[in-house]
Amino acid sequence: MAGFGKAMACREHVRIRLGARFMSSSSSSWWQSVEPAPKDPILGVTEAFLADPSPDKVNVGVGAYRDDNGKPVVLQSVREAERRIAGNLNMEYLPMGGSVKMVEETLKLAYGEHSEFIKDKRIAAVQSLSDFQKRFSPDSQIYIPDPTWANHHNIWRDAQVPQRTYHYYHPESKGLDFSALMDDIKVREADFDLLTKNAPNGSFFLLHACAHNPTGVDPSEEQWREISHQFKVKGHFAFFDMAYQGFASGDPDRDAKSIRIFLQDGHHIGISQSYAKNMGLYGQRVGCLSVLCEDEKQAVTVKSQLQQLARPMYSNPPVHGALVVSTILGDPELKKLWLKEVKVMADRIIGMRTMLRENLENLGSQLSWKHITDQIGMFCYSGMMPEQVDRLTKEFHIYMTRNGRISMAGINTSNVGYLANAINEVTKSA
Ligand SMILES: Cc1ncc(COP(=O)(O)O)c(C=O)c1O
């Protein structure tokens, strides 16, 4: 019955959404005015890769970790957690806010093992479907780095929150455009009408906590301190997307540096954490959304609202991934194993950066490839133009997004030479 009710509600929903374009009540023509949705720029790359029969093909499009044989990895810590869970798992609903144990452990990773904010119960947090953050936006607009993970735009568009961008990447240096970023944060309210990009006091900002996607460019510790200071002066709210904790340095604690700086400076931040990458739980959709509040009372109130948002969307989050996470993080031995495995993944990527750069230099490329090893995390923002990427795909069966982003995790000792040669060929005349 419940399923039937849902299906009917869904049908009604579609009718309402199609609105004026819904022309006929005959069921055969219900969908005739529906247009195909545009291909997702990232997931579309994988589709094209899978359809290519070439034995040489390489996928450096999608941000998912692969081992040196190009195979997906299930961490040993995850396998062991699953072994322990098996047989002990019932199929009951989780609470709307998800697994309490998983959330508890997840907050320690971001806010610090001995965080006073956790002790004082000042954090409103719920288990989320990985990077679920779209309804969380107290401001009328959101400032997003330029560029950013493409789906950030979809998330805020879907939530009908106007988007603005702030400067982030400097194409010439292939590093951070720190002074432009600071200008965007600092500008006085009186200047606001004259400038397109700058933020008035009290704006809502999205920051990548570490291993920025797509650029692989993070502020230094000193720069984070300056950013945090200016946020304080201007009264901005910082919302951190932390999808790669551990992938930048190999140490999740070190990768939380940006967050810890903001906490030291007394900010009331929000964080979205994901275990897709650092535990390899991509398809399990497990993450955590948290908001640091004034006090416990406010945290209880905010949490009740977060749960309220979850109710019509998915009611309560899935249980399996949350159990895996809480089993690993709740057991000192398993946590140690996981930390070791995160480091292995991060180190392999760092090694591939060195190899790709060396290969390009050995081929005699006249271009500088220093940024390959300067950038960090899963991605290298190569600086290649869309037409060069098109050539890589057409002539060499190498797949990546047209912005030139290379997923370093897709590179291995067998394909790095082939990739370097292809990159050298398409960038020769640049
Ligand atoms: C910055 C950023 N946030 C979130 C995600 C997605 O995380 P999840 O798979 O947990 O939704 C990604 C990558 O896929 C990302 O790059």
Side-chain angles (χ1 to χ4, degrees):
M1 250 340 255
F4 177 73
K6 239 180 185 163
M8 291 309 286
C10 177
R11 217 166 82 147
E12 199 49 39
H13 180 66
V14 170
R15 286 172 62 133
I16 291 163
R17 282 191 75 138
L18 292 176
R21 289 190 293 162
F22 179 72
M23 300 302 291
S24 159
S25 61
S26 134
S27 58
S28 62
S29 47
W30 269 37
W31 317 112
Q32 71 187 10
S33 56
V34 178
E35 312 248 324
K39 268 201 185 327
D40 183 278
I42 299 173
L43 303 181
V45 171
T46 301
E47 277 177 34
F49 169 79
L50 290 173
D52 186 339
S54 167
D56 298 328
K57 65 182 178 177
V58 176
N59 186 1
V60 283
V62 70
Y65 184 77
R66 300 286 179 258
D67 65 13
D68 197 45
N69 299 311
K71 296 275 180 278
V73 172
V74 179
L75 300 184
Q76 275 178 41
S77 49
V78 169
R79 283 283 185 240
E80 174 56 21
E82 285 192 310
R83 196 190 61 75
R84 292 186 193 181
I85 293 162
N88 291 321
L89 177 62
N90 61 42
M91 301 290 166
E92 290 297 293
Y93 290 127
L94 281 175
M96 266 190 284
S99 155
V100 174
K101 177 83 182 140
M102 190 284 288
V103 168
E104 237 174 63
E105 294 296 339
T106 302
L107 294 182
K108 284 189 211 162
L109 270 189
Y111 292 80
E113 183 75 30
H114 307 291
S115 164
E116 64 190 285
F117 306 118
I118 298 176
K119 191 162 59 64
D120 295 342
K121 300 192 168 93
R122 280 180 53 190
I123 305 170
V126 292
Q127 178 184 336
S128 57
L129 299 189
S130 271
D131 191 35
F132 161 51
Q133 46 181 261
K134 65 179 177 184
R135 301 278 182 106
F136 173 74
S137 179
D139 210 292
S140 58
Q141 55 192 11
I142 173 90
Y143 284 81
I144 294 176
D146 179 19
T148 193
W149 178 48
N151 206 26
H152 282 146
H153 296 295
N154 300 333
I155 289 168
W156 270 281
R157 190 183 56 236
D158 197 43
Q160 296 174 351
V161 177
Q163 300 172 31
R164 285 170 169 268
T165 55
Y166 61 90
H167 285 94
Y168 192 83
Y169 181 71
H170 190 260
E172 279 78 50
S173 68
K174 300 189 176 61
L176 185 68
D177 195 344
F178 185 62
S179 61
L181 182 156
M182 290 303 279
D183 279 349
D184 287 347
I185 297 170
K186 272 180 188 168
V187 74
R188 295 188 310 275
E189 201 151 358
D191 297 335
F192 181 62
D193 287 343
L194 304 174
L195 300 159
T196 52
K197 285 208 167 195
N198 315 77
N201 290 352
S203 291
F204 187 102
F205 275 75
L206 172 77
L207 301 165
H208 293 227
C210 62
H212 182 273
N213 178 7
T215 66
V217 172
D218 283 357
S220 68
E221 189 172 329
E222 198 44 50
Q223 287 169 333
W224 273 122
R225 288 191 195 286
E226 283 187 53
I227 294 168
S228 170
H229 175 73
Q230 276 310 315
F231 264 56
K232 201 79 196 165
V233 171
K234 306 305 290 183
H236 297 322
F237 179 81
F239 185 85
F240 287 93
D241 182 351
M242 185 152 62
Y244 299 92
Q245 189 177 9
F247 263 87
S249 68
D251 174 2
D253 211 38
R254 219 167 121 194
D255 285 359
K257 192 82 215 168
S258 54
I259 285 173
R260 308 288 168 75
I261 288 170
F262 271 68
L263 292 175
Q264 276 163 15
D265 288 350
H267 291 278
H268 290 172
I269 59 172
I271 312 178
S272 172
Q273 292 167 258
S274 164
Y275 287 107
K277 322 284 173 174
N278 60 10
M279 276 197 194
L281 294 174
Y282 303 94
Q284 294 295 344
R285 317 305 302 143
V286 56
C288 177
L289 174 68
S290 62
V291 183
L292 176 58
C293 299
E294 288 283 336
D295 52 31
E296 184 178 352
K297 184 163 168 271
Q298 194 179 74
V300 170
T301 309
V302 171
K303 183 173 174 185
S304 73
Q305 288 294 342
L306 294 176
Q307 289 177 328
Q308 179 88 344
L309 290 174
R311 185 61 170 145
M313 282 193 220
Y314 54 85
S315 275
N316 28 53
V319 67
H320 185 77
L323 258 173
V324 169
V325 172
S326 59
T327 304
I328 293 174
L329 297 182
D331 179 289
E333 280 308 305
L334 268 188
K335 186 172 176 185
K336 217 163 104 187
L337 175 61
W338 171 64
L339 289 172
K340 229 169 79 186
E341 293 185 290
V342 173
K343 183 147 170 44
V344 167
M345 291 193 284
D347 284 350
R348 198 188 80 72
I349 290 177
I350 291 167
M352 285 304 121
R353 286 184 183 281
T354 309
M355 282 185 84
L356 182 60
R357 180 179 166 186
E358 276 174 9
N359 270 271
L360 280 158
E361 288 169 354
N362 292 341
L363 285 163
S365 174
Q366 297 301 299
L367 301 172
S368 166
W369 296 104
K370 184 171 170 293
H371 58 284
I372 297 179
T373 47
D374 285 349
Q375 296 173 356
I376 53 174
M378 202 176 247
F379 301 107
C380 165
Y381 212 45
S382 67
M384 280 187 287
M385 296 290 127
E387 302 72 38
Q388 293 170 326
V389 174
D390 292 344
R391 275 192 66 198
L392 280 181
T393 305
K394 279 203 193 84
E395 295 172 30
F396 298 94
H397 307 275
I398 293 168
Y399 291 82
M400 67 174 81
T401 44
R402 292 188 82 230
N403 60 6
R405 185 192 80 163
I406 300 172
S407 173
M408 296 305 300
I411 306 181
N412 54 56
T413 46
S414 306
N415 66 20
V416 64
Y418 179 74
L419 179 66
N421 180 58
I423 293 176
N424 185 40
E425 286 300 320
V426 304
T427 56
K428 258 182 186 165
S429 53

